[in-house]
Amino acid sequence: MQESVEQFRRDGATVLRGLLDPEWLRVIADAVEHNRCHPSDWSHWYTDSQQAVGFWSDYVTWRDVDGHRRAAFESPLAEAARQLMGSDSVRFFHEHVLVKEPGTTERTPWHHDQPYYCLDGDQNVSLWVALDPVPAATGMRFLAGSHCWDRWFVPRKFVDHTAYSAAEENFELVPDVDAMIDDGAEVLSFDVQPGDVVAFHYRTLHDAPGNAMTSRRRAVSYRWIGDDATFATRPWEVSPPYEADGLTVGGPLGDDPRFPIVSPATSRTS
């Protein structure tokens, strides 16, 4: 684990091999199937939902979907998040289901996540749980070290890859990352098997291709925050679209139930 912690802090992304056993994968897969059959009000199709081929997502369903709640509060994920973040406390932010059906052509544009969120703080991590084999060539790519740039980029829409807005104070447009890669910037990608978990910082630039394989690509990002998390606003609607509801910009999250503290000591096998 220490090697993964060091890579995460240096490069902004790493992979935790075999973190989840087959029973935990079953629990999470059942939860994803529930999302597919009973989409929440915040579910979204990035392609025509009437087509068999498509890219769809759902998120923040952990209060209603038992498998996501169990994964957040009982699985090894919380302890892994604590170690990666170097935090005493571990708060669960939300889960985000991302499924690309076979033949999906929609790619995920280069972006980083924290500007989408209502949270500031450096102690954070997304734990991307693979439910299907994902070869490195068809999985996420990460621009190594980009979480350390102290640069914040305007979010981009997944549907058409346009920016949410023009450059704003403290936010710039996403650069031409592909050109940077051509010039020698280091990119990380991982061959992933079910049970492996890809960990990445909220400010690590990343993208993902479509799914040219003949099998589905199901994944769930379980997102975590640590001791230094504070509430924030952005020049655009955040995701999830949380209002302050009593929190102060720049202030701690307190006992807000939207950001529950998870004790890794309660993590156990399924």
Side-chain angles (χ1 to χ4, degrees):
M1 183 67 178
Q2 185 56 36
E3 185 175 330
S4 295
V5 170
E6 292 173 1
Q7 183 181 34
F8 172 75
R9 296 180 184 174
R10 179 185 68 246
D11 296 334
T14 190
V15 61
L16 308 176
R17 299 293 183 191
L19 182 67
L20 297 178
D21 65 27
E23 184 58 22
W24 275 118
L25 294 179
R26 183 195 63 77
V27 169
I28 296 171
D30 287 349
V32 171
E33 184 64 9
H34 180 94
N35 292 124
R36 187 183 70 83
C37 296
H38 307 281
S40 78
D41 291 341
W42 286 352
S43 66
H44 188 78
W45 274 82
Y46 298 103
T47 49
D48 185 346
S49 62
Q50 301 305 309
Q51 297 179 5
V53 174
F55 173 23
W56 63 270
S57 70
D58 206 347
Y59 73 151
V60 199
T61 64
W62 60 272
R63 295 180 186 85
D64 301 313
V65 181
D66 182 66
H68 292 315
R69 184 170 58 253
R70 290 183 59 201
F73 287 87
E74 301 174 18
S75 82
L77 293 172
E79 173 59 18
R82 185 191 67 78
Q83 293 188 47
L84 290 164
M85 295 188 298
S87 177
D88 292 328
S89 66
V90 181
R91 289 179 183 266
F92 183 55
F93 183 19
H94 65 274
E95 93 293 339
H96 192 174
V97 175
L98 297 154
V99 177
K100 288 187 176 179
E101 302 290 350
T104 298
T105 59
E106 285 77 15
R107 62 177 297 109
T108 304
W110 283 105
H111 68 288
H112 61 185
D113 292 343
Q114 197 158 12
Y116 291 81
Y117 301 159
C118 61
L119 298 168
D120 284 339
D122 290 328
Q123 290 173 306
N124 62 68
V125 64
S126 285
L127 297 180
W128 188 88
V129 177
L131 296 174
D132 303 292
V134 182
T138 64
M140 284 190 293
R141 298 186 300 170
F142 302 93
L143 195 61
S146 54
H147 66 305
C148 296
W149 287 356
D150 195 27
R151 296 168 67 186
W152 291 62
F153 301 107
V154 177
R156 301 173 73 182
K157 299 175 184 178
F158 281 20
V159 173
D160 60 11
H161 298 192
T162 58
Y164 275 25
S165 73
E168 298 273 353
E169 183 178 2
N170 300 322
F171 293 90
E172 56 186 290
L173 297 180
V174 176
D176 186 345
V177 179
D178 291 319
M180 296 172 66
I181 295 169
D182 290 340
D183 288 339
E186 182 183 1
V187 174
L188 299 176
S189 57
F190 307 100
D191 285 310
V192 175
Q193 294 295 319
D196 296 340
V197 174
V198 176
F200 58 98
H201 194 276
Y202 289 177
R203 291 199 305 279
T204 304
L205 284 164
H206 57 283
D207 78 342
N211 181 13
M213 300 187 299
T214 58
S215 58
R216 304 174 76 197
R217 192 167 77 207
R218 299 167 299 162
V220 186
S221 273
Y222 292 91
R223 294 177 175 147
W224 309 86
I225 46 179
D227 298 332
D228 69 348
T230 58
F231 187 75
T233 58
R234 306 291 184 225
W236 38 77
E237 183 178 72
V238 292
S239 174
Y242 287 158
E243 302 289 342
D245 290 342
L247 296 178
T248 301
V249 173
L253 304 178
D255 59 358
D256 192 306
R258 295 173 295 181
F259 314 101
I261 292 178
V262 180
S263 171
T266 66
S267 298
R268 56 182 183 271
T269 58
S270 55

